[in-house]
Structures are given as structure tokens and as C-alpha cells.
Amino acid sequence: MPRLQPLLLYILLLCPQPLLAQEPAIYKNAVTVKFFGVSVHLKESPYPEMFPNRLDDKGIIAFNYGAIVGYDRFVVRDVISVRVEQGLYADCAAELAGFTHIGWRGLILRKGRHSLNGGIGPTLVYRHDWADNDAYVDDGYFKRRGKWQYKFYWYAGELEYNYKLKERTDLSINLLPGIPELISFGIGLRKRF
């Protein structure tokens, strides 16, 4: 038995991987595709008649039809990533709109199949100019360039809830706070690889 101990030690040092419990795979990338959705206005709109897809007379809740596509590159395990995101949709007034975002994402909470991520970073929001609509009165919130209105935010954020459907696929629901104006929601899939 004394001669066997050095051999066992030698095997343990050279081949530790098969003897250790396997950890779950950590993916370095993720792609998200979401249907974009529903907007909830935090204050009453002065022109709800401009919102053809509103659910109430005051225009508090309105449908926005479109999509969001995002790419994450994880830089710290599967906990912190850099995300690039592009949204294109019909806004509350059914005009072409979108946003372009890049920022940091971090895992806030993970328990079983559930996870919650938060992110922050600069975002450019743009829409076809509402000035063509007679009901619209420009309040100066958006800047203008040609037939477009836009707003740049240094600090835009997102909360994202993910439910693991399979090893690499999650059901993903996001909340985009456009404070003080509105909060928007989207739902789709996240694929990790």
C-alpha cells in the first residue's frame, strides 16, 4: 500500500478534472429576440387621440408593435456582460420608432430556473416626427433632425427576467423604464452559446 500512495497522488495531480464534480457550463455569448409590446404611460397624455392602439380613453396603456434584438458578450463568467441592443417598432402614435443601446448587464438574482438581470448604459431613442399630426404640440423634449425626433440618454436602463426553458434557452421578459414618461415591456427568447 505505501507504494500505491505516490501513484494515487500523481494521478490526482495530473488528472483532477474527472475526479471533481462537474460545474454547469458557462456560456460566453447570448442572443435575445423579443416582441415589443406594451407601453404604460406614467402620466396622462395631453393627446391620447393620437394613440390608435390605446387600451383606454386616456392613452395610459398602448400597444407598440415591433421587435428588440440584443447580443450579450459575457466578460465575467455568466454574471456580467456588455449588451448591444436594437429596437424597431411602431410607437404609441403608430409612427416608426426605435432605439439603439449599448451597456453593462449584471446578474441581480438567480434561483433555480429564475434569474433577474439589470443593465445600464447610453441609449439613443428616435421616432418619426409627430409634427405631421395636428393634435401634437411640441414640448421640446425631443430634438429634431429632418423628419425625425430623437433623445439621447447617458443612463438608460433595463430589467430583464429570464426563465430557463432548456439548458441554453430562456423565456425572457424585459421592462424598459422611460422615466418620467413611460414604462415598456417586451417578451421573447434568449439563447446562450
Side-chain angles (χ1 to χ4, degrees), residues 143-162:
K143 293 180 180 179
R144 281 198 161 90
R145 184 172 193 124
K147 289 285 189 178
W148 292 91
Q149 292 177 295
Y150 66 94
K151 181 80 174 171
F152 182 77
Y153 301 94
W154 283 105
Y155 52 86
E158 176 183 38
L159 286 175
E160 181 180 68
Y161 165 76
N162 295 298

Side-chain angles (χ1 to χ4, degrees), residues 72-185:
D72 286 277
R73 176 65 178 168
F74 291 95
V75 292
V76 178
R77 298 190 331 267
D78 60 348
V79 176
I80 297 176
S81 69
V82 174
R83 177 177 283 184
V84 177
E85 207 164 37
Q86 178 63 56
L88 196 60
Y89 51 92
D91 67 10
C92 297
E95 294 285 350
L96 181 61
F99 68 86
T100 304
H101 169 81
I102 185 167
W104 293 99
R105 288 289 177 285
L107 179 67
I108 297 171
L109 173 73
R110 181 184 297 148
K111 186 163 186 174
R113 293 177 167 259
H114 307 274
S115 66
L116 180 66
N117 300 318
I120 191 163
T123 301
L124 176 65
V125 177
Y126 41 90
R127 68 184 185 194
H128 190 262
D129 198 340
W130 285 11
D132 294 342
N133 193 313
D134 295 335
Y136 178 66
V137 177
D138 188 3
D139 59 5
Y141 185 72
F142 284 92
K143 293 180 180 179
R144 281 198 161 90
R145 184 172 193 124
K147 289 285 189 178
W148 292 91
Q149 292 177 295
Y150 66 94
K151 181 80 174 171
F152 182 77
Y153 301 94
W154 283 105
Y155 52 86
E158 176 183 38
L159 286 175
E160 181 180 68
Y161 165 76
N162 295 298
Y163 178 78
K164 186 191 263 185
L165 299 171
K166 296 180 184 176
E167 178 59 32
R168 297 178 179 207
T169 307
D170 302 329
L171 172 68
S172 187
I173 300 170
N174 71 331
L175 177 143
L176 297 167
I179 296 173
E181 299 296 321
L182 57 86
I183 296 174
S184 298
F185 299 90

